[in-house]
Amino acid sequence: MSTAADMNGPAGMNGPAPEEKWRRLSPRMLVIHPFQEIVRAAPALLGLVFAGSNSGHSHWWNLAAVGVMVALGTLRWFTTTYRITAEHVQVRKGLLNRKVLTVPRDRVRTVDVTSNILHRLLGLARVEVGTGRSDRKGGGELKLDALSAPEAAALREDLLHRANQANRVNPANPQAVPGASTETAPVTAQETGTPETVLAALSPGWVKYGPFTMSGLITAGVIAGFLGRLTSEGNVDLNRVESLRDGWQWFTGLSLPVEIVLIMLVLAVFVAVASTCGYVLAFWGFRLTRHTGGTLHVTRGLVTTRATTIEERRLRGVEVSEPLLLRAARGARLIAVTTGLRVGRGAQRGGSMLLPPAPRARALAVADLVLGHTSGPSPITAPLTQHGPVALRRRFTRALGVHALLVAALLALDAWAGLAAWVGVTALVLLPATALMAADRYRSLGHTLASGYLVTRWGSMVRRRVALRCDGVIGWNVERSFFQRRAGLVTLTATTAAGRQGYAVPDVTLTEALRLASEGSPGLLDPFLIHHVAASTGVAAALDGDPREARR
């Protein structure tokens, strides 16, 4: 593909540059691709093994299935090619259904470089190019699995680290220069002579926060699903295993409360151990650095290493996230709010994690470093405006109302089917917990405007504090539910192209919502504010006893 510069060059040049050649992935992937296909089909293959053993049939079918998986893995390498031009990143793949994926270079938001243990043994790395639709099904995510490690690192530098000063930003005021060209040359830290600045690095003491992440629940679900699929496809009868049969008979002989307590205890221990192991595997060696090319660089992982690069000019803010258990341990995690990198898939998986679960004070300090805050009140630690007694009443009304409906449903089931007495007792015992959660949800509410950022906080099970750049807000939504209208409250939502696409300030008065929106985006709401002032004048006149002015 010829670039515009090639076609519009001065006379006397040699003409357009030759078209970039399609290249293949590393030949060492001929070892990894077949192995990946076999692992992916492991439950089905194990099912064939068990089925063949039980029926007495030959194992030739099993060997044939493995051969098919190896052939499919080999074909993946032969049918996948890619090329990098001055304008696009393209991947061509598929045998029967041929596809060409094209990503414009100016749409690149992040570049992830990951290496699992097999990749690392063979000196390979997988490159994932994230775009504005990278988190959506069928979106613009582009993968190269895999390149040699030096090639992957060079590609990351080429796609994101730019030398043009027009595209560089001051972290304290990260705005692109209007009219600046998006065509830039790559630059590395070695070329500028300035090393990366380390913003955060994992401390071994942070591992103690692993059990409070509850990520082991996912591990328990995956293991349960794998074993269930294995026994189903392999036609395995667990009753034939004497130890399992005896253990189940002993367990079913216990009383129901004891069974529940035992299950909870075993699950808690397993989840704590699995969460700690998952923390070490995912975040060991974690480093957050600021690159001279105007990017943030995150590296982490013990067995599978991952390197994520985010352009600072696309950063719109940060989110300090505190799940309930992690908050009880005075911990928090930090998430980037950046365009083209939504967090709906989960921040850890989506690559927007800037700091793993760590001490809360450290998370707040790193957030200030990422934002480049140097003067004025910090949007991370600035005091917040509370939402008033009406918002408090709504929290208790909703929480206790739901609890009352649950108790009523249990009473109805007891009258109809006869439930155990402890079910109703449990529902009543949980009433104080419901009230405490309502109070905590209210304490979490708060908002302010500080140093050009809209700051909002909400949530109880997961408390989130978001600092969003006001110039990153593309619109304001004011919404009222039926019950909010009766209470005289609204929910103000700042819409943005970054992160969750919208951040709400719930249950504030209409006057406060309009104040936030007008100060956050000066001039945008002036026509609406004129009508609001007129309406307020009419209400005041009515209170003074002049119904004609009120009607007007």
Side-chain angles (χ1 to χ4, degrees), residues 102-188:
T102 301
V103 172
R105 293 183 63 157
D106 60 3
R107 289 289 298 169
V108 175
R109 300 296 187 263
T110 61
V111 178
D112 287 3
V113 179
T114 56
S115 300
N116 59 35
I117 189 168
L118 285 178
H119 286 77
R120 293 169 67 183
L121 288 175
L122 296 176
L124 300 175
R126 179 176 61 186
V127 178
E128 296 184 28
V129 179
T131 70
R133 294 174 54 86
S134 61
D135 66 321
R136 304 174 187 176
K137 185 177 181 181
E141 189 176 72
L142 186 147
K143 298 181 181 179
L144 297 174
D145 188 11
L147 308 178
S148 67
E151 284 181 308
L155 179 59
R156 184 187 67 214
E157 298 277 340
D158 184 39
L159 292 178
L160 284 182
H161 292 163
R162 306 168 188 271
N164 194 320
Q165 291 292 336
N167 277 340
R168 293 192 184 179
V169 296
N170 177 3
N173 185 24
Q175 300 180 13
V177 177
S181 172
T182 57
E183 292 296 329
T184 57
V187 65
T188 65

Side-chain angles (χ1 to χ4, degrees), residues 494-525:
T495 58
T496 178
R500 301 178 186 275
Q501 314 297 293
Y503 293 93
V505 183
D507 286 351
V508 293
T509 63
L510 179 59
T511 302
E512 178 66 6
L514 294 179
R515 182 191 71 82
L516 287 174
S518 62
E519 292 183 11
S521 301
L524 180 63
L525 299 184

Side-chain angles (χ1 to χ4, degrees), residues 399-414:
L400 297 180
V402 172
H403 192 92
L405 290 176
L406 177 61
V407 172
L410 291 176
L411 291 176
L413 286 175
D414 181 54

Side-chain angles (χ1 to χ4, degrees), residues 299-435:
T299 56
R300 59 183 176 87
L302 180 62
V303 177
T304 298
T305 60
R306 180 173 186 176
T308 303
T309 304
I310 303 173
E311 285 187 296
E312 288 191 90
R313 67 190 180 100
R314 304 188 188 278
L315 191 68
R316 297 294 179 264
V318 294
E319 174 184 318
V320 179
S321 177
E322 302 173 77
L324 184 60
L325 291 179
L326 188 60
R327 176 154 48 105
R330 300 183 181 276
R333 57 193 179 191
L334 187 64
I335 299 170
V337 178
T338 180
T339 57
L341 190 61
R342 295 173 63 188
V343 298
R345 287 184 0 175
Q348 181 175 331
R349 182 182 175 191
S352 57
M353 181 80 72
L354 293 179
L355 190 72
R360 185 175 183 274
R362 183 58 179 155
L364 299 181
V366 173
D368 264 334
L369 291 174
V370 169
L371 297 181
H373 176 73
T374 57
S375 61
S378 168
I380 303 302
T381 57
L384 303 181
T385 301
Q386 296 300 312
H387 286 203
V390 181
L392 173 63
R393 185 171 66 246
R394 275 177 50 81
R395 296 298 174 279
F396 275 92
T397 300
R398 290 196 292 181
L400 297 180
V402 172
H403 192 92
L405 290 176
L406 177 61
V407 172
L410 291 176
L411 291 176
L413 286 175
D414 181 54
W416 177 61
L419 297 177
W422 65 268
V423 176
V425 173
T426 302
L428 294 175
V429 169
L430 290 178
L431 182 60
T434 302

Side-chain angles (χ1 to χ4, degrees), residues 282-300:
F283 299 116
W284 193 257
F286 172 88
R287 290 176 79 249
L288 170 65
T289 58
R290 173 172 280 131
H291 198 279
T292 53
T295 58
L296 295 174
H297 188 52
V298 179
T299 56
R300 59 183 176 87

